[in-house]
Amino acid sequence: VGLSIRARVDETPDFKRVERTGKVHKLPIVQVLRNDMKRVLLVCGARSGETMQYNVVAVFALHYATQARHLAPAIYLSAISLSALVSIIVMPLSGALSDRIGRRPVGRLAGVTAALFGAAFIPMIHTGATVWVMLAVVLMLGVSAGIGNSLPSAYFPELFDAPVRYTAVSLGYQLGTVVGGLLSDRTRSRLG
């Protein structure tokens, strides 16, 4: 399905203009490494935060809640499902808000909510009470991650010029996934 959709999607008007001028780079990665590393690292940092948040809440804390706190797996998995439903509402609203007030303020909101909800997350899980566990997961994945996940598809491409946009976003995104995975593993060891 994805391949079928991608085959029908046309290039952006910005890239078509660059193509017409003949200024498409044969090796855009070289241009990105020379000129855009600061922004690539911004994408990397944002993506690593997204990866860590998801891994800690949806994967590692599931193990902690069910093994250390003896919570029924169905409760935690239901909280993850409820989070997905909440994010279906939060993401488009946050995306629309970022169109109105800018990407950075909404990104900061995502960071602040991740810090605030993250500080309360383990204590809420530690209670073992169904309502607190579900609320903790929904706040982290449905609300905070929902806000943060509304931005990358618009914000990341806006950071780069059309000739290198796809390469730069991809490089930052993939590096961020690796870094976030490594940092998540360090966090997992602290959860026990």
Side-chain angles (χ1 to χ4, degrees):
V1 172
L3 184 58
S4 173
I5 291 169
R6 179 61 188 119
R8 291 182 176 94
V9 173
D10 206 5
E11 294 294 347
T12 65
D14 284 348
F15 191 78
K16 284 182 175 184
R17 276 191 291 280
V18 170
E19 272 186 321
R20 283 193 298 274
T21 65
K23 293 183 180 181
V24 176
H25 302 290
K26 296 232 186 272
L27 292 171
I29 188 78
V30 173
Q31 296 300 104
V32 169
L33 294 173
R34 267 191 209 141
N35 305 322
D36 294 309
M37 279 311 293
K38 185 176 178 181
R39 289 183 298 267
V40 167
L41 293 175
L42 176 67
V43 171
C44 174
R47 179 62 186 147
S48 64
E50 292 171 21
T51 300
M52 285 180 56
Q53 187 172 4
Y54 181 81
N55 287 350
V56 169
V57 176
V59 180
F60 304 137
L62 168 62
H63 182 268
Y64 173 75
T66 57
Q67 300 304 308
R69 305 309 307 156
H70 309 293
L71 188 72
I75 292 170
Y76 201 92
L77 294 171
S78 294
I80 291 173
S81 296
L82 182 57
S83 296
L85 292 174
V86 169
S87 71
I88 287 172
I89 297 164
V90 170
M91 285 176 64
L93 292 175
S94 299
L97 182 63
S98 79
D99 288 342
R100 290 190 97 160
I101 67 170
R103 312 284 182 234
R104 287 184 183 188
V106 175
R108 287 185 188 112
L109 177 63
V112 167
T113 60
L116 291 175
F117 300 157
F121 180 74
I122 292 298
M124 290 171 80
I125 298 296
H126 194 73
T127 68
T130 299
V131 69
W132 289 113
V133 169
M134 292 190 80
L135 181 61
V137 174
V138 168
L139 289 174
M140 286 297 286
L141 290 182
V143 177
S144 178
I147 295 168
N149 289 334
S150 71
L151 298 174
S153 62
Y155 183 49
F156 293 172
E158 291 171 350
L159 294 172
F160 304 99
D161 293 333
V164 296
R165 184 173 291 150
Y166 191 80
T167 300
V169 170
S170 181
L171 178 62
Y173 201 84
Q174 302 313 319
L175 287 173
T177 301
V178 171
V179 169
L182 294 172
L183 293 173
S184 297
D185 191 54
R186 290 190 61 158
T187 303
R188 176 197 51 86
S189 65
R190 291 186 180 147
L191 284 176

